[in-house]
Structures are given as C-alpha cells and as structure tokens.
Amino acid sequence: RSLSLWNITMDVQHPMPESAIGIHCMARQLGMLPSLRELNLGSAHLPGNLRQILCDLQAPLESLELGYCDLLPDDLAFL
C-alpha cells in the first residue's frame, strides 16, 4: 500500500535517451502495484516528468508526498 522512493535523479540539463526509458520503466513498475495508495517521492529530481511517472497507476493515490522535489509548471498543472 505504501512506497517511498528517495533520491531519484534525472539530469534535465543533459537528458539522455536512457532517462526517458528509465521513467517509462518506473511508471510501468508502479502500475504493477495494484494496491499502491501512498507514494513518497522525497528528494526526487524528475522535473517535468510527474505525469509520465504516475500515468500507469491502476487506482488513484490517497497520498502523494513530494517533499524536496523539483517540480516544473507542467507538474503542478498535472496535479
């Protein structure tokens, strides 16, 4: 029901093709957790990718913690 992922970093200054693949893989893996209700992405540096990360979830989250996360306007609009 609950998962914490800390210190996930994506280099937005010099994005690599592997970064997009990694985000897609992470989203797919999160989507394989049907009872996930709480997600903590503390200290995540994934600006502009929140929609992609959460797109495969099977059910809405009850709690999403984004403490110390880098967010861009696209992330805020998605939320």
Side-chain angles (χ1 to χ4, degrees), residues 1-77:
R1 290 189 43 84
S2 182
L3 179 64
S4 291
L5 301 171
W6 283 80
N7 295 323
I8 300 168
T9 302
M10 184 178 118
D11 185 356
V12 293
Q13 299 287 351
H14 309 286
M16 303 292 287
E18 299 85 26
S19 299
I21 293 168
I23 288 172
H24 179 70
C25 181
M26 180 177 162
R28 190 174 60 243
Q29 296 295 318
L30 288 173
M32 295 171 70
L33 302 171
S35 60
L36 182 65
R37 296 295 177 263
E38 300 173 354
L39 181 59
N40 180 345
L41 294 174
S43 298
H45 300 283
L46 303 163
N49 292 287
L50 199 56
R51 179 185 303 271
Q52 291 85 351
I53 292 167
L54 301 178
C55 69
D56 289 338
L57 293 178
Q58 295 182 26
L61 294 171
E62 295 171 8
S63 172
L64 175 63
E65 223 174 302
L66 299 169
Y68 305 104
C69 288
D70 294 336
L71 300 176
L72 294 177
D74 287 346
D75 298 315
L76 297 175

